[in-house]
Each structure stands twice: as structure tokens, then as C-alpha cells.
């Protein structure tokens, strides 16, 4: 598992945001509206990348498997997980 | 513009058309090749749960964006300003991150083949499952008719082919590879299409600013003639502007979190982490694509070309960039339309075969028979969509009703979906009542707004969402928990 994937996305999102600021916003006569409205699609990626990095580091991803009693998949009846 | 290309006296179209057709043929071959090893229902519906993050990003963005993004949105940013419309992709990104990092894993653990299967497991009994299945089949089929109508309009303007020929060519291509390869073909071709229109967006959009002599010149012209480009509300100030931004953001949020053709991509991932990884990559790629494409088009009217806003994108592809890049851009429009259609197609046919025919009529159907029925379902839906798209009167009516029905459906079942995995007290009665109350309410508000019974700024989806949440919570608190709670316990208590 590459634990740095989240960090790469943090930097990539920041790079896209800085690109927008330098290429578009700094040249505009009225800046605030554009900063806010273009940051809304770009900046969540920074937070998302950081959360993903922390989840990787803390091993918070599951295996994707539920504990189902054998044979129950066909009847659609599931037993309670032992940890429930 | 390039002249027409002829072959033995037959006019084939100009260079742009020939290259664009080349891309379509390439997609068909790629789709058939990708689906050559599809042998089981799990392969057909969820590509054997083997998708990498890159494939998930490609198929999600390709399915989310349609030809409307290229032709309709570019026209809207020209006439109403760019900021309000671009802001809705903030909701798309945020919704995707919530799904990928927090909630998607609970759906993934249920190993679903289709979205309605969630309802039959979490909410025991037939009512919730039947309601969800019907919503998917009808809304996806109707939605697909509207997308196909858009595709034929674009193809007509590009190639000049008659509607029925365009429709037949596109329908045969997507039916063929959906029948043969199912989800795997759809996902692989979606990803190829995503790469094509990402490249197109990165070049086509900025070419508008180059035409005006650079960004500084464009800004200087805009200050004199189109200062609304710098305002968050564009040309619609006050309450109406705010409600417009709010409604577009809520619509995008609903699409990402509850549209079956997008939400189904959770089930194809090879692991929970891979889906989360896809969503953080999407959070980088989607804003880059959208801002590169749409923001520069807000300056297009300053070029005074006399071109209609809706034709601006095609005009730029044909006149402002080299032929190969222009062809890439035009192929991108068709790719976006077709990729959305294939995703809708796949969802409708999988739900019809797995959740209606199998669950309600032939529950003991073997895996092999179900695969055959899934493929026949694709053809049945293709025939319905073909005839629905052929008649302009049916098509025009369907555009409105499909839009109303689809958004209504997404808002109506969102609380049942998410509270089902986030709130243990969610009950079957709560889910069924929230869907059956919110659905007609949203349709009523949408029609009322259109006919003037209600103010135009009332956001239909917000009303529906609030109603669905309220009913879901109140009815669930008033009724007793059921067997579905066990599913909640299973997906929430998995070992990490």
C-alpha cells in the first residue's frame, strides 16, 4: 500500500488552487467573488487527500467483507456480526 | 474550415467528421475487446469487482458529464457568467469525497450487484425494493431517451446525418458492447472517453482567451462590456441568484450521492480503499477539467463572432485550434454523450433483469440464465429507447418528465439510502413512506414552479430532500426496528 497517495493528492489540489489564483484571480479587478467560487471546487481535495492519508496511516480501511453465516446469502438472512 | 472528404463520389463529411467517426469506431473496438471475458453475472453487472482507482475516476467523470456540459454549460457561462455554474462542481467534489472516505465503504461491504438490491436487504419486504427498482428502470430509461436526443442533435450538427441514421448507428454500437461486455466494456470505454475530453478541455477552453489576445486583454474588454463575469451571481442578483446557486449545488450533490448510474461505481471497486483513492483523484481532476473548459468560455461573447451561444463550442473546435485538436474536441462531445448513455443503459438493464424479473418472477433462476436475461434486457431497453427517441413529440415531452422524475427520484430515496447505513433506527416503514411522500411532492413543486403556481426561485430538490428526511426520521421513530437492523450491524462493525 502506498501511504503517500493521500499526500500527493493534497499537493496536487493545492497546485491546482495556486494555479487558479496566479493565472486567473490575481489579474482580475474584483477578486473576492472569484476566489470563493473557484476555491469551492478545488480546496475540498486538499482536505480529502489529508483524510485519506490519515486513514491509510491508521489502517482504517476494511477488507470489504461482511461476516455472513455460510449459506445465508441464498436466503437473504444474515446473522449478527460477532462484534455487534 | 476543412473541405469535404469524398470517396468514389460519395461525400463522407469534412476532416473533423472523419476523425470523430474514427474515435467512435475505436471506442466500439475497445469496448468489445474489454468485454471479451465476461462470463458471469458478477462480471456483467460489476466487472467482477476489479476496477482500479483510475478506471473508477474515468467512468465517474465520463458518466457525470454529458454533451450538455460541452454545449449547454459553455453557452450558459457566456450569457450568465461562469462562477455560479462552476460552483456546482464544488458540491460534486464534496459529495464524492463524503462517499469515498466515509459512507461508500458501508455500501461496498454489502456486495451489491445493483442499487435496488440495497433496499431489499436493508428494508425487508417487497415494497421498498419494488419502489426502488421501478424508479431506477423508469427514470434511467427516460433519462437515456433525453441523452440520446442530445447525442443525435450534436451528431446532426457535426456530420449532417439524418436523425434515424445517427440514432441507429449510436444505439447499435452501445447495445453491442453493453450486451457483450456489460459493466467492464462500459467502464473501459468511459475511461478512454474521459481521457479524450480531458485533453480537449485543456486546449479548447484556453483557445478562446488566446483569440482575444491573452487574458489581460480579455479582462480589460470584460470590464467594459461584461463585468458580470466577475460577480458570484452572474446576471441574476439577489434572492434569485442565491437560490440559483443553491439549487445547482444541491442538484450536483444529489447526482453524486444518489444517482444510480454514479453510485453503482462503488460496487465495481476492487477494495474500499481503491474507491476512496478514486474519489481523492477525482477531487483533483474534475475541477481542473471544468475550470479549464468553462471559465474561458465566459469571455467568448467579447470576440463578437456572431455565433449563437449554444454553437460556440463547436465553432471554437472548428475555427480556433488545429484540425487534430478540434476533432479531438468534437469527438469529446460525442464521447461525453455516449458514455452517459451507456451508464444509464447498463443500470436500467441490470435492475430489470436482477431486481424485477429474477426477484419477483423467477427467484430460482440459475446464474447462466440470469446472464442471458441480462443481455436480453439490454436489447429490450435499447428498442424502447430507440423508438422513444425517434418521435420528436414523445421526445420533447420525455425531456421534461425525465428530468423531473430523475431528480425527484434521487431526492426521494437519498434519506432511505444514507440513513440506512448511518442510523440504526431507520426502519422499512420510514423508507417506504419517505419515498412515496417525497416523490409526488417534488413533481408537484416542479410542475407548480413551471406553471407559475409557485415562485420560480423555490428549489425543487431542496423541498424534496427536506420532506424525505423529515418523513424518514419521524416514521422511523414511530415504528419498531426490524430485521434490516442486522444488515446495519454487519456493515458497521467490520474489522478494519
Amino acid at each position: 500500500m502506498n501511504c503517500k497517495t493521500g499526500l500527493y493528492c493534497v499537493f496536487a489540489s493545492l497546485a491546482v488552487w495556486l494555479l487558479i489564483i496566479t493565472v486567473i484571480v490575481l489579474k482580475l479587478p474584483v477578486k473576492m467573488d472569484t476566489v470563493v467560487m473557484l476555491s469551492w471546487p478545488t480546496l475540498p481535495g486538499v482536505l480529502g487527500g489529508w483524510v485519506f492519508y490519515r486513514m491509510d496511516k491508521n489502517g482504517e480501511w476494511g477488507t470489504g467483507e461482511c461476516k455472513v453465516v455460510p449459506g445465508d446469502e441464498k436466503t437473504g438472512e444474515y446473522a449478527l456480526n460477532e462484534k455487534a | 474550415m476543412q473541405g469535404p472528404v469524398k470517396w468514389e463520389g460519395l461525400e463522407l463529411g469534412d476532416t473533423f467528421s472523419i476523425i470523430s467517426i474514427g474515435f467512435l469506431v475505436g471506442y466500439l473496438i475497445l469496448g468489445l475487446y474489454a468485454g471479451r471475458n465476461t462470463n458471469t453475472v458478477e462480471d456483467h453487472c460489476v466487472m467482477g469487482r476489479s476496477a482500479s482507482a483510475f478506471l473508477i475516476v474515468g467512468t465517474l467523470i465520463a458518466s457525470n458529464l454529458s454533451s450538455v456540459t460541452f454545449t449547454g454549460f459553455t453557452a450558459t457561462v457566456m450569457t450568465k457568467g461562469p462562477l455560479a455554474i462552476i460552483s456546482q462542481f464544488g458540491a460534486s467534489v464534496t459529495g464524492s469525497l463524503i462517499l469515498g472516505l466515509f459512507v461508500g465503504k458501508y455500501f461496498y461491504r454489502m456486495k451489491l450487484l445493483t442499487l435496488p438490491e440495497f433496499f431489499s436487504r436493508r428494508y425487508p419486504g417487497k415494497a421498498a425494493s419494488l419502489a426502488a427498482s421501478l424508479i431506477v428502470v423508469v427514470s434511467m430509461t427516460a433519462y437515456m431517451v433525453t441523452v440520446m436526443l442530445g447525442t443525435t442533435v450534436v451528431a446532426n450538427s457535426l456530420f449532417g446525418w439524418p436523425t434515424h441514421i445517427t440514432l441507429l448507428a449510436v444505439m447499435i454500437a452501445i447495445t453491442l458492447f453493453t450486451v457483450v461486455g456489460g459493466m467492464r466494456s462500459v467502464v473501459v470505454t468511459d475511461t478512454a472517453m474521459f481521457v479524450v475530453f480531458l485533453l480537449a478541455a485543456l486546449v479548447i477552453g484556453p483557445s478562446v482567451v488566446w483569440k482575444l489576445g491573452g487574458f489581460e486583454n480579455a479582462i480589460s474588454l470584460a470590464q467594459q462590456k461584461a463585468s458580470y463575469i466577475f460577480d458570484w451571481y452572474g446576471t441574476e442578483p439577489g434572492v434569485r441568484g442565491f437560490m440559483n446557486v443553491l439549487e445547482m449545488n444541491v442538484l450536483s450533490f444529489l447526482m453524486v450521492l444518489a444517482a444510480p448510474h454514479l453510485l453503482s461505481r462503488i460496487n465495481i471497486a476492487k477494495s474500499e480503499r481503491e474507491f476512496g483513492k478514486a474519489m481523492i483523484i477525482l477531487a483533483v481532476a474534475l475541477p481542473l477539467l471544468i475550470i479549464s473548459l468553462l471559465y474561458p468560455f465566459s469571455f467568448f461573447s467579447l470576440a463578437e463572432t456572431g455565433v449563437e451561444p449554444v454553437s460556440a463550442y463547436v465553432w471554437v473546435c472548428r475555427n480556433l485550434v488545429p484540425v487534430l485538436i478540434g476533432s479531438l474536441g468534437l469527438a469529446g462531445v460525442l464521447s461525453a454523450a455516449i458514455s452517459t448513455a451507456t451508464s444509464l443503459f447498463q443500470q436500467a438493464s441490470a435492475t430489470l433483469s436482477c431486481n424485477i424479473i429474477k426477484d419477483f418472477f423467477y427467484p430460482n433462476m440459475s446464474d447462466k440464465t440470469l446472464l442471458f436475461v441480462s443481455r436480453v434486457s439490454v436489447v429490450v431497453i435499447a428498442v424502447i429507447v430507440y423508438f422513444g427517441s425517434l418521435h420528436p413529440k414523445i421526445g420533447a415531452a420525455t425531456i421534461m418528465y425525465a428530468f423531473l422524475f430523475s431528480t425527484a427520484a434521487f431526492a426521494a430515496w437519498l434519506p432511505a439510502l444514507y440513513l440506512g447505513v448511518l442510523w440504526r433506527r431507520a426502519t422499512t416503514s420510514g423508507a417506504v413512506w419517505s419515498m412515496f411522500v417525497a416523490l409526488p411532492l417534488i413533481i408537484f413543486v416542479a410542475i407548480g414552479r413551471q406553471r407559475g403556481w409557485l415562485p420560480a426561485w423555490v428549489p425543487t430538490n431542496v423541498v424534496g430532500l427536506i420532506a424525505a428526511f423529515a418523513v424518514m426520521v419521524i416514521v422511523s421513530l414511530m415504528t419498531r426496528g426490524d430485521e434490516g437492523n442486522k444488515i446495519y450491524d454487519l456493515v458497521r462493525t467490520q474489522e478494519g
Side-chain angles (χ1 to χ4, degrees):
Chain A
M1 186 184 294
N2 180 6
C3 285
K4 290 182 181 168
T5 306
L7 286 183
Y8 295 149
C9 285
V10 169
F11 294 130
S13 284
L14 271 177
V16 171
W17 184 75
L18 286 172
L19 195 72
I20 288 164
I21 298 296
T22 51
V23 173
I24 298 176
V25 176
L26 290 180
K27 294 171 184 167
L28 298 177
V30 184
K31 297 180 176 59
M32 189 49 76
D33 287 15
T34 308
V35 170
V36 173
M37 298 299 263
L38 297 189
S39 294
W40 169 224
T42 47
L43 286 183
V46 178
L47 186 63
W50 178 252
V51 171
F52 185 86
Y53 169 70
R54 297 297 305 170
M55 289 175 78
D56 263 0
K57 246 191 146 182
N58 298 333
E60 290 176 25
W61 296 105
T63 57
E65 298 293 336
C66 282
K67 288 184 180 177
V68 179
V69 173
D72 281 357
E73 273 180 318
K74 285 186 179 172
T75 62
E77 296 206 354
Y78 291 76
L80 278 171
N81 189 307
E82 289 164 9
K83 293 175 78 178
Chain B
M1 189 185 292
Q2 304 297 304
V5 174
K6 291 186 177 183
W7 178 68
E8 293 190 356
L10 177 68
E11 194 170 304
L12 296 176
D14 59 16
T15 312
F16 295 100
S17 311
I18 302 294
I19 297 176
S20 300
I21 292 168
F23 274 105
L24 291 183
V25 173
Y27 295 141
L28 179 61
I29 294 168
L30 183 66
L32 292 174
Y33 180 77
R36 68 194 184 287
N37 293 326
T38 296
N39 299 315
T40 65
V41 175
E42 194 160 272
D43 271 344
H44 198 264
C45 294
V46 290
M47 63 178 288
R49 305 187 203 283
S50 61
S52 65
F54 179 64
L55 287 176
I56 298 168
V57 173
T59 186
L60 270 176
I61 295 183
S63 304
N64 200 359
L65 307 183
S66 69
S67 53
V68 175
T69 312
F70 287 84
T71 54
F73 284 9
T74 49
T76 308
V77 297
M78 272 175 67
T79 52
K80 295 190 171 181
L83 299 180
I85 207 156
I86 290 175
S87 79
Q88 71 178 301
F89 291 93
S92 298
V93 167
T94 310
S96 301
L97 289 172
I98 291 172
L99 200 58
L101 301 175
F102 303 112
V103 192
K105 58 189 175 187
Y106 302 132
F107 293 114
Y108 184 80
R109 290 171 190 174
M110 292 178 78
K111 300 287 181 206
L112 304 170
L113 286 178
T114 63
L115 200 55
E117 202 180 335
F118 167 83
F119 290 88
S120 63
R121 291 206 197 168
R122 177 62 180 88
Y123 303 114
K126 300 277 186 189
S129 169
L130 182 63
S133 301
L134 290 175
I135 284 170
V136 171
V137 172
V138 178
S139 67
M140 293 289 99
T141 307
Y143 197 167
M144 203 172 128
V145 170
T146 69
V147 172
M148 290 313 299
L149 287 170
T151 309
T152 52
V153 169
V154 172
N156 278 342
S157 71
L158 290 181
F159 310 129
W161 294 351
T163 303
H164 66 282
I165 296 287
T166 309
L167 195 59
L168 203 61
V170 174
M171 287 300 295
I172 286 174
I174 62 175
T175 304
L176 200 59
F177 73 69
T178 311
V179 166
V180 174
M183 183 64 99
R184 191 181 301 276
S185 293
V186 170
V187 168
V188 171
T189 47
D190 271 0
T191 306
M193 292 173 189
F194 158 68
V195 173
V196 167
F197 58 69
L198 176 62
L199 293 174
L202 291 176
V203 179
I204 306 281
S207 70
V208 174
V209 174
W210 298 332
K211 160 86 176 165
L212 292 167
F215 198 47
E216 282 81 1
N217 275 353
I219 291 168
S220 165
L221 281 170
Q223 273 184 288
Q224 298 159 30
K225 297 177 183 173
S227 59
Y228 60 85
I229 288 175
F230 312 122
D231 297 326
W232 66 268
Y233 47 80
T235 54
E236 292 189 355
V239 175
R240 191 165 178 156
F242 175 76
M243 286 300 181
N244 183 34
V245 171
L246 179 68
E247 186 172 19
M248 284 193 295
N249 273 265
V250 171
L251 183 67
S252 294
F253 207 62
L254 284 175
M255 285 291 283
V256 169
L257 288 177
H261 60 294
L262 302 181
L263 203 54
S264 64
R265 276 17 181 198
I266 296 171
N267 304 323
I268 65 173
K270 60 184 177 189
S271 68
E272 290 176 25
R273 182 182 179 274
E274 200 68 15
F275 184 70
K277 184 176 160 186
M279 293 303 98
I280 58 167
I281 296 172
L282 181 144
V284 179
L286 185 61
L288 186 66
L289 189 159
I290 289 301
I291 295 171
S292 305
L293 175 71
L294 296 184
Y295 192 80
F297 266 91
S298 57
F299 296 93
F300 184 79
S301 56
L302 301 170
E304 294 178 345
T305 54
V307 176
E308 286 292 314
V310 77
S311 306
Y313 181 83
V314 174
W315 187 89
V316 169
C317 289
R318 285 180 176 273
N319 295 284
L320 292 190
V321 290
V323 177
L324 188 63
I325 293 172
S327 306
L328 201 70
L330 294 177
V333 184
L334 276 181
S335 310
I338 293 172
S339 61
T340 305
T342 52
S343 295
L344 299 170
F345 207 21
Q346 199 278 335
Q347 278 305 295
S349 57
T351 303
L352 178 63
S353 55
C354 297
N355 302 107
I356 296 180
I357 297 174
K358 180 176 185 290
D359 287 359
F360 287 92
F361 297 103
Y362 303 102
N364 297 321
M365 192 185 288
S366 71
D367 199 59
K368 194 176 173 185
T369 313
L370 182 57
L371 180 62
F372 174 73
V373 171
S374 297
R375 287 174 164 160
V376 172
S377 300
V378 174
V379 178
V380 169
I381 289 174
V383 172
I384 294 169
V385 171
Y386 176 75
F387 286 106
S389 310
L390 261 188
H391 299 284
K393 285 184 182 174
I394 294 174
T398 311
I399 284 176
M400 186 186 80
Y401 289 115
F403 177 75
L404 294 178
F405 194 81
S406 299
T407 50
F410 303 156
W413 75 8
L414 188 135
L417 270 173
Y418 286 89
L419 291 181
V421 293
L422 296 175
W423 189 39
R424 195 173 190 279
R425 285 286 286 118
T427 64
T428 304
S429 302
V432 172
W433 276 103
S434 74
M435 283 192 275
F436 282 120
V437 169
L439 201 61
L441 177 67
I442 297 169
I443 292 171
F444 170 77
V445 173
I447 294 173
R449 200 168 76 153
Q450 193 187 25
R451 297 197 174 176
W453 309 333
L454 295 167
W457 53 262
V458 174
T460 315
N461 301 313
V462 178
V463 172
L465 205 53
I466 292 170
F469 263 110
V471 172
M472 178 84 195
V473 170
I474 292 168
V475 176
S476 291
L477 288 173
M478 290 168 64
T479 49
R480 300 184 65 170
D482 45 42
E483 289 290 300
N485 288 353
K486 291 177 180 175
I487 295 298
Y488 172 91
D489 295 329
L490 282 168
V491 299
R492 292 302 298 257
T493 56
Q494 191 206 34
E495 198 173 345

